[in-house]
Amino acid sequence: MNPALTQFGDRMSHLTGVRAIMKDIIETLRAGNQDFINLSAGNPVILPEVEQLWRECTQDLLSSPEYGEVVCRYGSSQGYQPLIDAVVKDYNQRYGLNLTDRNVLITPGSQSLYFLAANALGGYTTSGDLKQIVLPLSPDYTGYGGVPLNPESLKAYRPSLDIDAAAHRFKYRPDFSQLEINENTGFVLFSRPCNPTGNVLSDEEVRKIAALAAPHNVPVFVDSAYAPPFPALNFTEMTPIFGGNIIHCTSLSKAGLPGERVGIALGDERLIQPLESFLTNMCLHSSRYGQAIAARAIASGALVEISERVIRPHYQQKFAVVEETLDRAMPQDLPWFLHRGEGSIFSWLWLKDLPMTDWEFYQVLKGEGVIVVPGSPFFPGLTEEWDHRHQCFRISLTASDADLTTAMERLAQTVARVYQPAIARS
């Protein structure tokens, strides 16, 4: 049967971004005719102490009198009240806020939160005007490309690049000379720390974006899936920014609970309420089981403690392995640049003047037994031509030290080989 899909049905039935590339990666791994070091994974590593925390929270729920109420009944669309209370108390104490439970919404993962926002605040208004979803610097999370039902509503801006050529490092920054937020903007969205680059916008940059949006009554959604207080995957000092037109969006996925799909939004209740209504119409509410064990982990302080003591050091050390190996193995006379490692579970490599596309290099590197993710899917909403978007790669930090070292050595050898004909011609 070939169903007659609507415009929205056709839009949502196609894979976007990295999900489309993952199909090729899965088929490659299933072929089984070669051993690969797979550095494409977005799944967090199952760290024993983190898994044990969730086991203990689950055991506590199972033995409690509230188990039946949690699992066997529907709940509030806003979320499980003990989780909301735990979040409000923790954030108020930690950051000196004055949140109430009316400032919190629990969603089935943060991806669904951006889907709600993209189609409640972006797209066409009742009068037919197009409200844009603005990504203030690109590259950013590939999943943003799949959330709007009206793809033309997504608009991204090229960043400025801080380049340290001698050290082979670089960093993206918002280009405020180009960034435009006006009455046609529905909302602004960016990740901090950034998936895929590990970039962390400064406090000043976040406040400046929020200030540009405020006169137009435009909300700013800060995707804080890697931010403190949990999972605290920031390798540099950063402060979550709250208040005004900012919606702070966090997730428990990289804190070891991706399977339960628990996202948390904190912000002005006038923004929270329409998102809650949208969620009600879509799926009633997020999984109450996941919320119930999360409430225990947050209320006890254990989740924040284990984020700082276990999760952050694990990935920070993995980034150090990638950094040290590339510095040792990569040809120093070629224009390669590693993004400053400021957070997340990925590193981001730019091969300037690469004599082939990122997809072609990905295929060549597969021949050497290493899988990374081509960077071009991480530029959703960027319509202008830019060679840079076909010269970058996301490298997952979820492998062992030995595999990361071997993979980076093979990558360095491959880089030297593919650049050689271009160097010879010059």
Side-chain angles (χ1 to χ4, degrees):
M1 179 180 178
N2 293 316
L5 298 176
T6 65
Q7 290 181 359
F8 291 157
D10 181 70
R11 162 74 175 159
M12 299 306 291
S13 66
H14 291 86
L15 297 176
T16 60
V18 167
R19 288 289 178 178
I21 290 173
M22 287 305 294
K23 184 175 185 293
D24 178 80
I25 293 173
I26 291 169
E27 289 175 355
T28 298
L29 294 172
R30 280 179 178 169
N33 52 11
Q34 185 178 355
D35 290 331
F36 289 96
I37 300 175
N38 182 10
L39 303 183
S40 69
N43 255 326
V45 175
I46 300 176
L47 301 171
E49 291 177 88
V50 178
E51 182 182 15
Q52 184 59 31
L53 168 65
W54 294 119
R55 284 183 181 275
E56 291 171 358
C57 291
T58 297
Q59 289 164 354
D60 185 71
L61 173 62
L62 289 172
S63 62
S64 75
E66 67 179 305
Y67 174 80
E69 190 70 24
V70 167
V71 176
C72 304
R73 290 187 179 277
Y74 294 116
S76 163
S77 295
Q78 184 184 358
Y80 180 59
Q81 193 61 44
L83 173 57
I84 293 173
D85 293 343
V87 168
V88 167
K89 182 179 180 180
D90 184 272
Y91 275 76
N92 282 348
Q93 289 180 345
R94 193 174 304 280
Y95 300 113
L97 305 176
N98 293 300
L99 299 173
T100 71
D101 60 0
R102 298 174 70 87
N103 299 118
V104 181
L105 175 66
I106 311 299
T107 62
S110 56
Q111 178 81 0
S112 66
L113 171 59
Y114 308 130
F115 179 83
L116 302 179
N119 298 293
L121 301 169
Y124 291 96
T125 67
T126 54
S127 59
D129 297 322
L130 180 64
K131 289 286 190 177
Q132 291 183 322
I133 304 161
V134 169
L135 310 183
L137 83 169
S138 186
D140 210 327
Y141 175 48
T142 183
Y144 299 154
V147 295
L149 293 174
N150 302 108
E152 65 271 24
S153 64
L154 195 65
K155 181 175 178 58
Y157 286 86
R158 263 174 69 164
S160 60
L161 276 62
D162 285 352
I163 301 173
D164 183 345
H168 292 278
R169 298 294 185 274
F170 81 111
K171 176 178 169 61
Y172 296 114
R173 294 194 181 278
D175 185 350
F176 288 103
S177 69
Q178 300 295 321
L179 177 61
E180 186 176 0
I181 301 171
N182 55 37
E183 65 278 2
N184 296 319
T185 306
F187 71 102
V188 179
L189 174 62
F190 57 88
S191 57
R192 180 180 188 249
C194 177
N195 170 3
T197 67
N199 190 32
V200 173
L201 270 67
S202 69
D203 294 358
E204 180 184 0
E205 289 167 336
V206 174
R207 291 193 175 98
K208 188 170 183 178
I209 291 170
L212 289 173
H216 305 288
N217 202 30
V218 170
V220 176
F221 284 68
V222 182
D223 181 349
S224 303
Y226 296 88
F230 45 81
L233 275 165
N234 56 302
F235 308 153
T236 186
E237 286 297 321
M238 63 165 284
T239 306
I241 308 296
F242 303 94
N245 58 334
I246 292 176
I247 303 292
H248 179 84
C249 311
T250 192
S251 163
L252 297 183
S253 292
K254 300 308 185 289
L257 209 61
E260 282 306 301
R261 314 307 303 130
V262 180
I264 305 169
L266 300 93
D268 190 308
E269 65 178 277
R270 291 169 295 182
L271 286 167
I272 293 295
Q273 194 279 324
L275 297 177
E276 179 187 343
S277 297
F278 201 132
L279 177 65
T280 304
N281 289 323
M282 186 173 74
C283 64
L284 293 184
H285 58 71
S286 182
S287 160
R288 282 162 59 83
Y289 166 80
Q291 293 184 72
I293 62 173
R296 286 160 166 77
I298 294 171
S300 67
L303 184 57
V304 172
E305 189 273 335
I306 211 164
S307 294
E308 295 176 350
R309 181 176 58 84
V310 176
I311 300 176
R312 177 195 286 154
H314 176 85
Y315 290 102
Q316 192 165 13
Q317 188 269 333
K318 297 296 182 185
F319 181 83
V321 171
V322 168
E323 188 172 41
E324 292 163 6
T325 307
L326 289 177
D327 282 340
R328 170 177 54 80
M330 285 285 274
Q332 294 302 302
D333 59 341
L334 293 181
W336 64 271
F337 301 95
L338 184 67
H339 195 283
R340 296 288 181 187
E342 298 176 333
S344 86
I345 66 171
F346 306 107
S347 55
W348 182 256
L349 182 65
W350 170 30
L351 301 178
K352 187 174 184 291
D353 301 326
L354 181 67
M356 59 180 63
T357 68
D358 57 330
W359 177 263
E360 290 167 338
F361 184 84
Y362 153 79
Q363 298 287 359
V364 172
L365 193 58
K366 278 201 309 184
E368 302 301 320
V370 177
I371 297 176
V372 297
V373 178
S376 48
F378 295 95
F379 295 81
L382 189 67
T383 56
E384 63 181 288
E385 287 299 319
W386 189 25
D387 289 344
H388 180 90
R389 67 195 294 180
H390 302 289
Q391 300 172 346
C392 297
F393 302 87
R394 191 189 77 176
I395 300 167
S396 176
L397 302 177
T398 57
S400 68
D401 288 4
D403 279 352
L404 283 171
T405 299
T406 300
M408 292 305 96
E409 289 172 345
R410 291 181 187 175
L411 185 149
Q413 293 165 3
T414 306
V415 166
R417 190 171 72 252
V418 301
Y419 273 87
Q420 197 58 48
I423 294 172
R425 287 195 300 271
S426 64

